[in-house]
Amino acid sequence: MSQTRPPVEVTPIGVVRSPFTRPQDAPKQGPERDTESIIEIDPAWQEGLSHLEPGSDIWVLCHLTPRLPLAMLVHPRGDAHAPRRGLFTTRSPHRPSPISLTLVHLNSLEAGRLKVRGLDMVDGTLVLDIKPYVAMVDRPRKYEA
Amino acid sequence: MSQTRPPVEVTPIGVVRSPFTRPQDAPKQGPERDTESIIEIDPAWQEGLSHLEPGSDIWVLCHLTPRLPLAMLVHPRGDAHAPRRGLFTTRSPHRPSPISLTLVHLNSLEAGRLKVRGLDMVDGTLVLDIKPYVAMVDRPRKYEA
């Protein structure tokens, strides 16, 4: 593999608490996506949660721990029967920058603890960022967060 | 400020080439958002672009360089007249994990060079990841990338 760039650092702001202890147990789709998880934001950053509205949708970016060697062609959804595709057209967690992007529903928020629906992360996953969700209907090119 | 977590490393996959050399010149909105930029993906990762379709929309995650000290309450859009809000309800680039999330339109793709519309990044910005865009209309909670 050709030379790659030096890594850059990012700082986790908290951690996921969920009933899932193994990646294969975290539901990718289906009704179990509705399982509630908790995001615990570290005290240093909790004031940054001001004005977050329970009932809204938010983006959650997590730092994943790749379990496989990096491959540029992968089976989508880990399905060995599906033809391999370019990594960047898939949601594989095994990426040069293993950052997940998940839109979740904020059920409630209290003292730095966000109860969310739709976050399929194993317990202990590091949270890198939270961003506001902006509806993209009719103006997909204008969205940025 | 309370103790923060140790940083984690992510690996940039390429770089943005754009006509913008200063952050204040990169248009956040308005017609100039349509300026074309180029994303140059490093040779090590170019095979991961296979099956990317020109004409589609893709997510681009970049690593930003904060120019200000971190503040947990910020003026949205950098507008000093707007009341300050929690950082995580804004798109401020000055974040613990300074990662941008932008939906762009892929105009064309050739030899690791992606011509895109809608990416308001200064020349030289590091690109961390590219993810497929999945339409979220009617099922916002089901989106993940």
Side-chain angles (χ1 to χ4, degrees):
Chain A
M1 185 170 281
S2 347
Q3 195 167 1
T4 60
R5 284 173 199 265
V8 295
E9 290 185 342
V10 294
T11 300
I13 60 173
V15 68
V16 175
R17 296 298 171 203
S18 85
F20 312 116
T21 54
R22 304 181 307 168
Q24 58 267 45
D25 297 334
K28 291 255 171 288
Q29 50 196 350
E32 292 182 9
R33 272 304 291 277
D34 288 343
T35 301
E36 192 173 79
S37 300
I38 292 174
I39 296 174
E40 295 179 352
I41 300 296
D42 297 333
W45 317 117
Q46 286 180 8
E47 194 179 15
L49 301 173
S50 306
H51 310 94
L52 261 189
E53 302 268 4
S56 64
D57 292 328
I58 53 176
W59 290 112
V60 177
L61 281 68
C62 293
H63 185 255
L64 305 170
T65 308
R67 293 160 289 129
L68 299 174
L70 274 180
M72 288 303 102
L73 296 174
V74 302
H75 298 292
R77 300 173 304 280
D79 176 0
H81 298 289
R84 290 194 295 175
R85 303 174 55 88
L87 173 65
F88 301 115
T89 70
T90 78
R91 308 177 305 175
S92 166
H94 313 291
R95 319 175 78 82
S97 286
I99 301 168
S100 67
L101 172 64
T102 315
L103 187 65
V104 307
H105 187 77
L106 180 59
N107 286 343
S108 68
L109 164 63
E110 190 181 335
R113 287 166 63 89
L114 289 70
K115 291 187 179 173
V116 302
R117 190 174 64 210
L119 187 64
D120 58 342
M121 297 292 150
V122 298
D123 187 62
T125 300
L126 294 171
V127 176
L128 295 178
D129 202 7
I130 290 173
K131 293 179 185 297
Y133 170 70
V134 180
M136 271 172 277
V137 181
D138 292 336
R139 47 175 193 133
R141 287 182 296 105
K142 295 303 181 192
Y143 178 78
E144 176 199 358
Chain B
M1 182 168 286
S2 344
Q3 194 167 1
T4 60
R5 286 174 198 265
V8 294
E9 289 185 342
V10 293
T11 300
I13 60 173
V15 68
V16 174
R17 295 299 170 204
S18 85
F20 312 117
T21 54
R22 302 182 308 169
Q24 57 269 45
D25 297 333
K28 291 255 169 290
Q29 50 197 348
E32 292 181 11
R33 271 304 291 276
D34 288 340
T35 300
E36 191 173 79
S37 299
I38 292 173
I39 297 174
E40 294 179 354
I41 301 296
D42 297 333
W45 316 117
Q46 287 180 8
E47 195 179 14
L49 301 173
S50 305
H51 310 94
L52 262 188
E53 301 268 3
S56 64
D57 291 329
I58 53 177
W59 291 111
V60 177
L61 281 69
C62 293
H63 185 255
L64 305 169
T65 307
R67 289 160 292 129
L68 299 174
L70 274 181
M72 288 303 103
L73 295 174
V74 301
H75 298 291
R77 300 173 302 279
D79 175 2
H81 298 289
R84 290 194 294 176
R85 303 175 54 88
L87 173 64
F88 300 115
T89 70
T90 77
R91 308 176 303 175
S92 166
H94 312 293
R95 320 175 78 83
S97 287
I99 301 169
S100 66
L101 172 64
T102 314
L103 188 64
V104 307
H105 186 76
L106 179 59
N107 287 343
S108 67
L109 164 64
E110 190 181 333
R113 287 166 62 89
L114 288 71
K115 291 188 179 173
V116 302
R117 190 174 64 210
L119 187 65
D120 58 343
M121 297 292 150
V122 298
D123 188 62
T125 300
L126 293 172
V127 177
L128 295 178
D129 202 6
I130 290 173
K131 294 180 185 294
Y133 169 70
V134 179
M136 272 173 276
V137 181
D138 292 334
R139 46 173 195 138
R141 288 183 292 104
K142 295 303 180 192
Y143 179 77
E144 176 200 355

